[in-house]
Amino acid sequence: MLKVINVVGARPNFMKVAPIVEAMRGRADEFASLVVHTGQHYDAEMSDHFFRDLQLPDPDVYLDVRGGSHAAQTALVMQRFEPIVLAEKPDWVVVVGDVNSTLACALVCAKLGVPVAHVEAGLRSRDRTMPEEINRILTDQISDLLLTPSVDADENLRREGIAPERIRFVGNVMIDSLRANLERAARSDVRERTGVANADYAVVTLHRPSNVDDPIVLRGILSALEHIAARLPIVFPVHPRTRATLETMRAKEAENSVALSQIIFIEPLGYLDFLRLYSGARLVLTDSGGIQEETTWLGIPCLTLRENTERPVTIELGTNVLVGTSAEAITREAFAALELPPASGQRPQIPLWDGRAAPRVLDALLEASKF
Ligand code: UD1
């Protein structure tokens, strides 16, 4: 029997951990699983709704860390996670993705000599100004078992000198969640609530600091969205980080921000509502990592508003196009994508994005425990 602590911290973690926890509960003779939530994300829309939608059990331990600078947040997660590991003495700690909580918990384990497995290992944007890139590189260096979503990730790790026996290609756990929840999501009325049912529409998400923290950069992106919104409605669930900048801008632009009324700004959505929304979209514009993968799996055109991606397979085999952040390029590429016939429902085939990555994570943990 393996005792495993599964760590979640921020929104993009929940849909990666849910299928792993579910698989462990289904193999209770082999795994005793605990969920520790660091509390990096704490708003109901950023956290609680995801537990409910993904049928994740309530966390066994909640560290209530919340915001702060990267240093403060990372340090507080470490400080609060260490006593949990000392008390629980797990055989493995599983961390996912690339958020501050991922690195903080992996570092605690490395120092205590507790085995740590990193799910979604090996992704690289090669852009060290991205906080997530630092988190990925460091987490991979100190984790014992590196579970990768795509073959490019294996290559990245080998190039960084990581021993091949620490690497296992297991596929994409996020796609496990997507496949498992498509049917339940169909019951969401989010398209009706936002007024886009039976229409062509686009969906936008933005939260990357480089896009949303500087009002001038965000203004540029919004001006592209205004052009696109003149052609089809855009639904924009707004991340708290983006909302903060928008509020400052709104205060300044109150008198002349007319065109923005064309964009449907809403609160961040839960997992099922958001899945329902983007799965019906004509076009998605995003700076998220996970959404590049989800749209690829569904065959929905995605424009990524960044200069690079750590998920090249979504470009090589999927529907993703990197467009950068200039208003001109975003507008041009969006109109070009809208000229193409709508997605045919044909789904790109990405190796091991088959809905069975979580059982492979469990198998890899068992196998690695033999030595
Ligand atoms: C974090 C992750 C990022 C991930 C994103 C998804 C890191 C380095 N970044 O970025 O990889 O794609 O989550 O959302 O870990 N806030 C709230 N309520 C919340 C959560 C955050 O108001 O529930 C506020 C915070 O107080 C802060 C801001 O939003 O002011 C940013 O939160 P933070 O957790 O620092 O990073 P994200 O930008 O969300």
Side-chain angles (χ1 to χ4, degrees):
M1 165 82 74
L2 289 184
K3 184 173 186 180
V4 181
I5 291 182
N6 292 286
V7 175
V8 292
R11 185 170 64 175
N13 293 160
F14 304 125
M15 62 294 274
K16 294 170 192 166
V17 163
I20 298 173
V21 171
E22 196 194 318
M24 286 185 180
R25 290 166 112 199
R27 285 163 66 171
D29 50 331
E30 296 171 294
F31 292 92
S33 128
L34 293 173
V35 175
V36 173
H37 187 345
T38 67
Q40 178 177 341
H41 282 176
Y42 47 89
D43 283 355
E45 303 91 38
M46 299 298 286
S47 174
D48 305 3
H49 293 178
F50 284 78
F51 275 79
R52 189 194 58 206
D53 283 1
L54 293 158
Q55 299 170 309
L56 253 170
D58 283 344
D60 298 282
V61 182
Y62 186 68
L63 303 180
D64 198 18
V65 163
R66 299 191 168 231
S69 70
H70 282 252
Q73 195 175 57
T74 309
L76 196 55
V77 172
M78 289 184 70
Q79 218 174 334
R80 294 194 176 166
F81 187 57
E82 184 178 50
I84 310 299
V85 178
L86 288 171
E88 295 292 344
K89 302 187 177 53
D91 297 300
W92 283 95
V93 170
V94 172
V95 296
V96 300
D98 54 18
V99 303
N100 287 341
S101 301
T102 309
L103 171 61
C105 293
L107 190 48
V108 166
C109 296
K111 295 285 179 85
L112 293 176
V114 172
V116 56
H118 183 208
V119 173
E120 201 184 88
L123 299 186
R124 296 290 181 270
S125 66
R126 303 197 163 74
D127 173 3
R128 290 200 180 195
T129 63
M130 264 180 100
E132 293 84 356
E133 183 73 354
I134 306 296
N135 293 342
R136 290 181 202 115
I137 294 169
L138 297 178
T139 303
D140 287 341
Q141 282 297 329
I142 58 179
S143 294
D144 300 275
L145 185 58
L146 301 168
L147 303 168
T148 60
S150 48
V151 283
D152 55 286
D154 291 48
E155 280 163 32
N156 291 334
L157 293 172
R158 280 197 292 269
R159 228 178 285 136
E160 288 172 20
I162 288 173
E165 56 272 22
R166 283 168 59 203
I167 308 170
R168 291 276 183 297
F169 174 34
V170 293
N172 193 330
V173 283
M174 214 178 54
I175 302 300
D176 290 19
S177 278
L178 171 48
R179 289 177 69 130
N181 286 293
L182 261 180
E183 244 178 73
R184 290 175 63 232
R187 295 199 284 273
S188 152
D189 64 354
V190 67
R191 298 182 194 168
E192 290 72 19
R193 277 183 357 244
T194 50
V196 296
N198 312 316
D200 272 356
Y201 61 91
V203 173
V204 173
T205 77
L206 292 174
H207 72 279
R208 217 146 276 299
S210 56
N211 282 346
V212 305
D213 285 0
D214 179 347
I216 296 173
V217 176
L218 184 56
R219 192 78 202 69
I221 296 175
L222 288 173
S223 68
L225 298 182
E226 286 162 14
H227 278 111
I228 303 163
R231 165 85 177 266
L232 84 178
I234 295 183
V235 187
F236 186 171
V238 184
H239 185 281
R241 178 173 211 114
T242 313
R243 179 162 301 280
T245 314
L246 277 177
E247 272 160 18
T248 353
M249 286 166 57
R250 279 227 179 82
K252 283 198 198 129
E253 294 185 13
E255 304 96 61
N256 55 12
S257 68
V258 184
L260 279 188
S261 60
Q262 307 254 17
I263 301 171
I264 305 158
F265 291 96
I266 57 173
E267 292 296 312
L269 292 171
Y271 184 77
L272 293 173
D273 277 345
F274 188 59
L275 171 50
R276 178 69 179 158
L277 186 66
Y278 71 77
S279 61
R282 183 77 169 74
L283 178 67
V284 172
L285 301 99
T286 189
D287 60 10
S288 149
I291 296 171
Q292 298 170 44
E293 299 183 334
E294 292 166 328
T295 49
T296 275
W297 192 81
L298 287 165
I300 294 172
C302 175
L303 302 186
T304 294
L305 277 46
R306 290 171 44 188
E307 305 299 335
N308 51 54
T309 179
E310 61 288 338
R311 290 158 161 98
V313 75
T314 60
I315 296 178
E316 287 150 19
L317 302 177
T319 55
N320 189 22
V321 181
L322 270 186
V323 299
T325 55
S326 93
E328 198 263 319
I330 297 169
T331 315
R332 188 185 60 236
E333 294 295 335
F335 279 96
L338 292 170
E339 285 309 311
L340 299 172
S344 63
Q346 271 256 321
R347 292 176 180 166
Q349 297 298 312
I350 315 283
L352 299 196
W353 290 20
D354 59 358
R356 293 196 300 275
R360 286 191 287 267
V361 169
L362 273 57
D363 294 341
L365 288 172
L366 284 173
E367 202 191 308
S369 305
K370 287 186 198 143
F371 303 105

